């Protein structure tokens, strides 16, 4: 089999090619697939896809790529595909539709033809955030669609955290399949080098089996071979004429894909008007024709050529490219901004970079938006102070959404200084409100409150304005966080009135949100206000406010022990935040997800999610708090070590922030950790410090505080309503409280309620619950309680089955895995094992986490490989 690259054979790729063709062909099923094709740079990913295209001619192919040359235009691959498919998608693109419309239009267009669709997205390691969100969107909807999406990316440079997170999300989808290309073996290189005049051993030594290096080395036809691919490429183009080399340099600086009319307009001096010049370039194998485009066969070659262009000539070429794009009425602001910066044209940068940033923000590509604002600010000396202030403010807003809070605060302070410099009191007040919100996210509670009051003091004398509405909403939020609910509601309603007067729907959504949360704090009806806040944000496309609404829907539901509701909002909120690049809120929601998992007995998943938050979160201490507490209490319950550092950090941060809910959560976690260790006096002190804040909390939080105060022997009083499970415990109805906790899906709390009764039978039940959860330390507390009761039958200690199992599965999880391997559904497993379907769901989640399996099918394959029989011997 031959590639298009000068006859070099595609070797050692037969199985991968067959697999790729099979996945692409399944679209005719229709069985939709997302295929992740990975490998190091130059390993032959594009060549493999090209070979698949030549084999599979009964489908409609669409080709796109992510461009690493400049800060990409958001959804660049989607626009590439739109140019090929046309239809509704093309119309929506030309109309400047928002991302939701574009996503839906693409999905509608795919599969609308008489043949299945295969869409190729190359070089995902350069993808913008909106493109990653698009792939998440598609991956969730491909299962029954006649569409295969093939994505190539370099796994030796995965593009940072955003891509790693996206790949994790994509792999978890049942429609996703993975193919990885390895470098060629020494034998394959020997076959390719046969008859070339090169010593095969030298070729393998110089290239390490990388197909690109091998190809370029053999085609360079020179024995003075440098060790780097860059020199190999330059040696190859040295054989071209001077005119062809000049055209190639221009093409390399234009980008991965080059429009023929643009290249022609730029290359008259190099003689491109003569057809043989273009033929020379195509014959070189460095460029290939693709409709009205030329593209570089290998990005490595393009980069090598571009980097070799002398700086002075590079500047001139970029200026010519910018002029030509102007002449051709190019509307790609990101592309124009890149060439403007490379050309040193400050005026053009300040024109195009902010426009590109705002377009990116509307499309939910907030990383790209921040990068474009940063690009504009590199030329800020050429703008007036008011324009500079506006750029810093928009930059700060993007950075805040990305959880890059230290940078956001710096940008916000620069904007504030500029507003004050020009005497802009409205702008000053708005800047102060922005800095207040950033300070809160950094857990500097007093700074946040002071900033909010100062903003209001600046703006109130100026009369009714949008800025005043925003300041009222900001202060309302601050009062909410300190449980000053009545003040929060009054300020939120004032903000609502002003926002409605000026049509400021973002402020309106925020005010509705705060009023709803404050109503919940007072025990009043809140869901209508919160859903109105969410609807207002979604209709107005205010992504930060929509994300905040989801966060509060989750948090309030969880706080009211409505875990099913919390999980439903979590699912919707995480999808929204991930698909809209709302990093800060994604981290917050995952922290809440870890909390729900912990409360409902899914501790492995809770730890996994919490650790992900800690690994990914920026400087936002708010988003670290929940994760630290969840990991701390679970490790304490399991009798593990190393959790105090996290609980210390959580408590210190909560005290600095000064918000009662965070302080209570941190103090109760420390209370439990001391209690589990038998340190009753220390546990009592921590519980009493939480008790001093109990009146500012929800009924569930007050109930938890009250129960821990009694459990540690404290007589500290707690005033206010207490949620029902806790109230029954305090009334001495251990069985009733345990039943309620069980109905809520909270086994650990049920065990604690039973243990509190001081009855032998209940303590035995508690021990079994703790043992099944792997709560070794809590089980030891139950054993001590049984001993103090004089029980005749005292368990000898936690069963060793879980520890002995090769992957740490409990006996029950082992049984569930065996039934998964036999193809049983969750409902069938529940019937076979006489447990609830919800319990089976929890077991399946824990099994997947422990096996690190993306889905139950993978877990089943692991079981069928002989794992079940070997593991059974250890149980």
């Amino acid at each position: 089999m031959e590639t298009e690259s000068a006859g070099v054979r595609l070797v050692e790729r037969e199985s991968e090619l067959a697999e790729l063709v099979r996945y692409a062909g399944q679209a005719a099923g229709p069985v939709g697939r997302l295929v992740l094709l990975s490998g190091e740079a130059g390993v032959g990913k594009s060549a493999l896809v090209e070979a698949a295209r030549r084999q599979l001619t009964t489908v409609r192919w669409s080709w796109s790529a992510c461009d690493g040359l400049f800060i990409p235009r958001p959804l660049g691959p989607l626009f590439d595909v739109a140019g090929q498919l046309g239809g509704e998608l093309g119309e929506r693109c030309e109309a400047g539709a928002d991302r939701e419309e574009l996503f839906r239009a693409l999905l509608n267009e795919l599969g609308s033809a008489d043949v299945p669709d295969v869409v190729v997205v190359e070089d995902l390691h350069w993808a913008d955030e909106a493109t990653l969100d698009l792939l998440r969107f598609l991956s969730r909807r491909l299962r029954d669609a006649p569409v295969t999406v093939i994505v190539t990316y370099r796994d030796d440079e995965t593009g940072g955290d955003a891509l790693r997170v996206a790949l994790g999300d994509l792999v978890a989808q049942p429609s996703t399949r993975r193919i990885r290309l390895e470098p060629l073996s020494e034998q394959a290189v020997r076959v390719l080098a046969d008859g070339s005049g090169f010593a095969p051993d030298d070729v393998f030594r110089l290239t390490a089996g990388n197909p690109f290096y091998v190809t370029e080395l053999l085609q360079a036809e020179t024995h003075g071979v440098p060790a780097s691919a860059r020199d190999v490429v330059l040696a190859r183009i040295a054989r071209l004429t001077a005119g062809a080399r000049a055209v190639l340099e221009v093409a390399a600086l234009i980008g991965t894909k080059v429009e023929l009319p643009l290249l022609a307009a730029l290359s008259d001096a190099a003689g491109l008007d003569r057809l043989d010049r273009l033929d020379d370039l195509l014959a070189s194998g460095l460029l290939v024709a693709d409709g009205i485009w030329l593209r570089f066969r290998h990005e490595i070659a393009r980069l090598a050529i571009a980097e070799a262009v002398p700086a002075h000539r590079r500047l001139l070429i970029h200026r010519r490219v910018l002029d030509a794009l102007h002449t051709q009425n190019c509307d790609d602001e990101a592309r124009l901004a890149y060439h403007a910066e490379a050309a040193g044209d400050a005026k053009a940068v300040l024109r195009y970079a902010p426009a590109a940033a705002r377009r990116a923000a509307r499309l939910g590509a907030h990383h790209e938006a921040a990068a474009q604002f940063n690009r504009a600010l590199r030329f800020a000396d050429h703008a007036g102070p008011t324009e500079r202030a506006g750029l810093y403010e928009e930059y700060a807003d993007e950075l805040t959404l990305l959880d890059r809070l230290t940078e956001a605060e710096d940008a916000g302070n620069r904007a504030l200084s500029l507003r004050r410099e020009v005497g802009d009191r409205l702008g000053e007040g708005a800047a102060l409100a922005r800095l207040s919100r950033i300070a809160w996210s950094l857990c500097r509670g007093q700074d946040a409150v002071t900033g909010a009051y100062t903003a209001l003091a600046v703006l109130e004398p100026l009369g009714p304005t949008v800025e005043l509405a925003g300041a009222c909403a900001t202060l309302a939020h601050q009062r909410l966080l300190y449980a000053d609910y009545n003040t929060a509601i009054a300020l939120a309603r004032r903000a609502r009135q002003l926002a409605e007067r000026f049509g400021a729907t973002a402020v309106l959504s925020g005010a509705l949100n705060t009023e709803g949360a404050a109503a919940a704090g007072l025990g009043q009806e809140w869901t209508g206000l919160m859903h109105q806040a969410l609807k207002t944000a979604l209709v107005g496309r205010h992504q930060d406010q929509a994300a905040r609404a989801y966060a509060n829907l989750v948090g309030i539901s969880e706080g009211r022990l409505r875990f099913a509701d919390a999980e439903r909002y979590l699912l919707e909120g995480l999808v929204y935040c991930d698909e809209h690049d709302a990093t800060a809120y994604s981290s917050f929601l995952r922290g809440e997800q870890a909390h729900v998992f912990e409360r409902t007995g899914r501790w492995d998943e809770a730890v996994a999610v919490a650790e992900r938050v800690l690994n990914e979160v920026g400087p936002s201490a708010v988003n670290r708090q929940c994760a630290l507490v969840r990991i701390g209490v679970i490790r304490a319950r399991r009798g593990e070590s190393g959790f105090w550092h996290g609980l210390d950090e959580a408590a210190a941060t909560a005290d600095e922030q000064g918000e009662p809910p965070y302080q209570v959560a941190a103090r109760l976690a420390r209370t439990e950790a001391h209690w589990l260790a038998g340190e009753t006096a220390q546990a009592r002190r921590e519980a009493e410090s939480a008790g001093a804040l109990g009146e500012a909390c929800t009924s569930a939080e007050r109930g938890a505080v009250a129960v821990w105060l009694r459990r540690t022997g404290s007589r500290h009083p707690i005033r206010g309503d207490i949620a029902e499970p806790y109230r029954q415990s305090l009334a001495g109805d251990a069985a009733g409280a345990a039943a309620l906790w069980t109905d809520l899906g909270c086994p650990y709390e049920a065990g604690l309620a039973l243990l509190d009764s001081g009855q032998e039978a209940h303590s035995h039940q508690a021990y079994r619950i703790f043992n099944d959860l792997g709560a070794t330390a809590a089980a030891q507390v139950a054993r001590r309680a049984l001993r103090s009761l004089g029980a005749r039958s005292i368990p000898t200690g936690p069963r060793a089955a879980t520890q002995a199992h090769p992957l740490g599965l409990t006996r029950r999880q082992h049984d569930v895995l065996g039934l998964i391997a036999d193809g049983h559904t969750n409902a069938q497993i529940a019937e076979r094992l006489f447990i609830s379907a919800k319990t089976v769901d929890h077991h399946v989640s824990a099994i997947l986490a422990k096996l690190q399996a993306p889905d139950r099918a993978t877990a089943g394959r692991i079981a069928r490989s002989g794992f079940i029989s070997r593991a059974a011997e250890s149980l």
Side-chain angles (χ1 to χ4, degrees):
M1 183 178 298
E2 303 290 318
T3 70
E4 294 178 6
S5 183
V8 176
R9 284 175 290 172
L10 192 69
V11 298
E12 289 191 336
R13 297 289 185 256
E14 291 82 3
S15 62
E16 291 89 348
L17 178 59
E19 196 172 13
L20 185 60
V21 170
R22 178 166 62 88
Y23 290 148
Q26 286 176 344
V31 178
R33 288 281 181 252
L34 172 66
V35 183
L36 301 178
L37 177 59
S38 64
E40 67 182 45
V43 79
K45 301 179 290 295
S46 296
L48 189 75
V49 180
E50 289 278 8
R53 178 163 67 169
R54 289 196 298 274
Q55 282 198 20
L56 200 61
T57 59
T58 57
V59 300
R60 179 173 62 166
W61 288 79
S62 304
W63 221 271
S64 68
C66 305
D67 196 333
L69 182 59
F70 49 83
I71 303 167
R73 176 176 59 162
L75 297 178
L78 182 145
F79 287 102
D80 287 349
V81 171
Q84 299 163 63
L85 298 182
E88 177 194 355
L89 176 62
E91 294 173 1
R92 293 291 84 209
C93 288
E94 290 181 6
D98 59 58
R99 56 183 281 156
E100 285 81 3
E101 290 183 72
L102 295 177
F103 287 9
R104 289 194 298 271
L106 173 61
L107 195 62
N108 292 337
E109 194 64 41
L110 295 174
S112 63
D114 294 333
V115 295
D117 277 291
V118 177
V119 177
V120 180
V121 181
E122 293 203 84
D123 297 325
L124 192 69
H125 46 277
W126 285 322
D128 61 281
E129 290 290 334
T131 294
L132 297 178
D133 295 341
L134 171 63
L135 291 176
R136 289 188 180 98
F137 174 88
L138 291 175
S139 70
R140 297 184 178 105
R141 297 161 174 84
L142 282 177
R143 179 174 296 184
D144 300 318
V147 180
T148 297
V149 180
I150 301 173
V151 176
T152 73
Y153 67 95
R154 298 180 189 171
D155 55 9
D156 55 343
E157 49 176 284
T158 53
D161 292 341
L163 180 57
R164 282 191 288 271
V165 171
L167 289 173
D169 294 339
L170 296 176
V171 168
Q173 296 302 319
S175 62
T176 300
R177 298 294 182 268
R178 303 184 76 169
I179 300 174
R180 188 181 191 279
L181 295 184
E182 300 289 347
L184 302 176
S185 68
E186 187 171 357
Q187 179 59 35
V189 172
R190 189 176 297 278
V191 170
L192 292 173
D194 184 40
S196 67
F198 285 86
D201 291 344
D202 289 342
V203 175
F204 187 77
R205 176 178 56 82
L206 290 166
T207 65
N210 183 285
F212 168 73
Y213 294 167
V214 172
T215 300
E216 297 303 311
L217 176 60
L218 296 179
Q219 293 183 350
E221 297 179 358
T222 173
H223 287 271
V225 181
S228 70
R230 175 181 177 276
D231 290 338
V232 170
V233 172
L234 297 181
R236 184 174 179 187
I237 69 170
R239 294 178 291 129
L240 298 173
T241 65
R245 286 199 303 273
V247 174
L248 203 58
E249 290 176 350
V250 172
L253 292 173
I254 289 175
T256 306
K257 294 175 65 174
V258 183
E259 306 99 316
L260 277 171
L262 176 62
L263 187 61
L266 291 166
S267 305
D268 288 341
L272 188 64
D273 53 321
R274 291 173 52 194
L275 188 58
D276 59 342
R277 291 286 187 247
L278 179 57
D279 290 341
D280 287 346
L281 291 174
L282 296 175
S284 73
L286 292 166
L287 284 173
V288 295
D290 188 2
I292 65 167
W293 298 80
L294 295 176
R295 59 182 174 85
F296 280 84
R297 185 181 302 279
H298 300 291
E299 178 62 14
I300 297 173
R302 188 194 65 76
L303 289 173
I305 296 167
E307 291 170 2
V309 179
H312 68 279
R313 195 155 76 244
R314 193 181 309 144
L315 182 73
L316 292 174
I317 291 173
H318 280 295
R319 286 179 179 173
R320 291 168 57 204
V321 172
L322 186 61
D323 289 341
L325 291 172
H326 284 152
T327 301
Q328 297 181 4
N329 297 317
C330 174
D331 61 357
D332 185 345
E333 295 101 342
R335 188 179 188 187
L336 291 163
Y338 164 74
H339 289 294
E341 182 178 29
D345 188 337
K347 182 178 179 181
V349 171
L350 290 170
R351 175 183 176 186
Y352 295 119
R358 291 166 193 136
R359 171 67 173 163
R362 287 195 300 273
L363 293 174
H366 298 289
H367 282 85
E368 283 66 40
Q372 291 289 4
F373 279 126
N374 190 38
R375 166 177 277 157
L377 286 166
R378 290 197 288 270
F379 293 81
D381 289 346
H382 297 269
T386 299
E387 183 180 358
R388 290 204 307 275
L391 291 173
Y392 277 119
E393 287 162 353
E394 292 184 275
Y395 186 40
D397 289 342
E398 295 301 318
L399 292 172
T400 300
L401 201 53
L402 295 173
D403 209 16
R404 292 163 56 184
L405 297 171
T406 303
E407 298 169 81
E409 186 172 43
D410 178 68
N413 277 317
R414 289 174 181 267
L416 176 61
S417 296
L418 288 164
R419 295 296 184 188
R420 285 173 170 167
E421 178 185 321
V422 299
D424 180 358
R425 296 288 282 173
L426 277 176
E428 179 184 350
L432 286 164
R434 177 179 290 102
L435 286 167
S436 168
R437 296 189 291 271
I438 294 171
W440 173 79
S441 296
L442 288 167
C443 284
R444 298 207 311 271
Q446 192 53 52
D447 289 347
V449 171
T450 300
Y453 275 114
T454 305
L456 203 61
V458 168
L459 291 167
E460 279 191 313
L462 305 177
T465 60
V466 171
E467 290 81 2
L468 180 59
C472 287
T474 297
L475 185 56
H477 182 227
Q478 296 296 337
R479 300 323 306 158
L480 165 70
L481 299 171
Y482 287 91
D484 185 0
Y485 299 128
N486 290 315
T487 303
I489 288 173
L491 285 164
R493 287 176 177 171
R494 184 181 179 193
R496 282 179 60 183
Q497 292 173 349
L498 289 167
E500 289 168 349
R501 175 177 175 179
F502 294 105
T505 53
V507 177
L508 176 60
S509 174
L512 287 164
N513 191 319
T514 297
E515 185 176 350
L522 292 171
Q524 301 170 359
E525 165 57 33
W526 62 278
T527 54
L529 287 164
M530 196 63 67
H531 283 287
Q532 188 181 352
L534 176 61
K535 181 179 179 180
T536 301
L538 292 174
V539 171
R541 310 198 189 284
H542 307 303
Q543 296 159 13
D544 55 341
Q545 293 297 341
R548 183 187 169 215
Y550 279 120
N552 278 342
L553 283 164
V554 170
I556 296 172
S557 297
E558 190 279 330
R560 293 191 163 208
L561 309 181
R562 297 176 181 174
F563 300 112
D565 289 344
E567 290 204 64
R568 176 164 57 86
Y569 294 132
L570 270 169
L571 179 61
E572 293 177 15
L574 282 170
V575 168
Y576 182 88
C577 291
D578 286 343
E579 290 185 349
H580 290 81
D581 198 13
T583 306
Y585 284 103
S586 292
S587 297
F588 179 86
L589 286 172
R590 287 193 169 88
E592 290 297 314
Q593 185 178 45
H595 194 183
V596 171
F597 284 162
E598 177 259 309
R599 295 297 296 271
T600 53
R602 289 169 282 176
W603 291 356
D604 290 326
E605 297 96 308
V607 170
V609 172
E611 288 178 341
R612 173 178 175 179
V613 171
L614 294 180
N615 289 334
E616 295 173 1
V617 75
S620 173
V622 170
N623 287 342
R624 290 179 59 84
Q625 290 242 71
C626 190
L628 290 168
V629 169
R630 300 286 71 77
I631 290 175
V633 294
I634 291 172
R635 287 180 176 169
R637 293 167 185 171
R638 287 173 165 172
E640 299 172 355
S641 60
F643 58 82
W644 274 113
H645 177 76
L647 292 183
D648 289 343
E649 179 186 337
T653 301
D655 287 344
E656 182 179 2
Q657 191 172 8
E659 295 175 26
Y662 290 104
Q663 292 175 297
V664 167
R667 294 298 170 188
L668 288 186
R670 295 170 65 81
T671 300
E672 183 178 350
H674 282 302
W675 177 78
L676 289 167
E679 299 164 354
T680 305
Q682 295 95 317
R684 187 182 304 119
R685 283 195 295 271
E686 294 285 357
E688 289 175 347
S689 68
L693 301 161
E695 294 182 23
C697 297
T698 66
S699 61
E701 290 165 338
R702 279 194 295 272
V705 170
V707 166
W708 276 107
L709 284 168
R710 193 182 74 168
R711 193 171 287 146
T712 58
S714 174
R715 295 187 178 182
H716 190 288
I718 287 291
R719 300 183 186 85
D721 294 337
I722 289 177
E724 185 61 23
Y726 298 108
R727 191 176 63 80
Q728 292 208 14
S729 283
L730 294 170
D733 185 1
L740 285 174
W741 283 122
T742 300
D743 289 343
L744 289 169
C746 303
Y748 185 74
E749 280 77 6
L752 289 177
L754 290 166
L755 187 62
D756 286 340
S757 72
Q759 298 179 23
E760 182 177 342
H762 286 164
S763 296
H764 273 292
Q765 280 185 267
Y767 175 83
R768 287 192 292 271
I769 290 172
F770 297 149
N771 197 55
D772 285 344
L773 286 168
T776 304
Q780 291 293 346
V781 173
R783 290 181 69 242
R784 291 196 296 268
L786 286 166
R787 189 177 295 112
S788 68
L789 290 169
R792 289 186 177 184
S793 173
I794 299 177
T796 58
R799 292 180 303 211
T802 297
Q803 298 174 359
H805 196 284
L807 285 174
L809 299 185
T810 64
R811 180 178 295 277
R812 179 65 84 190
Q813 289 167 355
H814 175 87
D815 294 341
V816 171
L817 178 58
L819 293 170
I820 289 173
D822 292 338
H824 292 287
T825 66
N826 282 10
Q828 292 169 334
I829 294 172
E831 185 176 351
R832 290 281 295 271
L833 299 180
F834 302 101
I835 56 179
S836 70
K838 188 172 185 179
T839 300
V840 175
D841 289 341
H842 293 174
H843 284 314
V844 172
S845 296
I847 290 166
L848 297 182
K850 289 180 178 179
L851 270 60
Q852 297 184 346
D855 50 45
R856 59 192 295 135
T858 303
R861 286 196 294 273
I862 294 172
R864 289 190 296 273
S865 69
F867 171 76
I868 283 288
S869 58
R870 294 195 302 274
E873 298 173 1
S874 66
L875 291 175

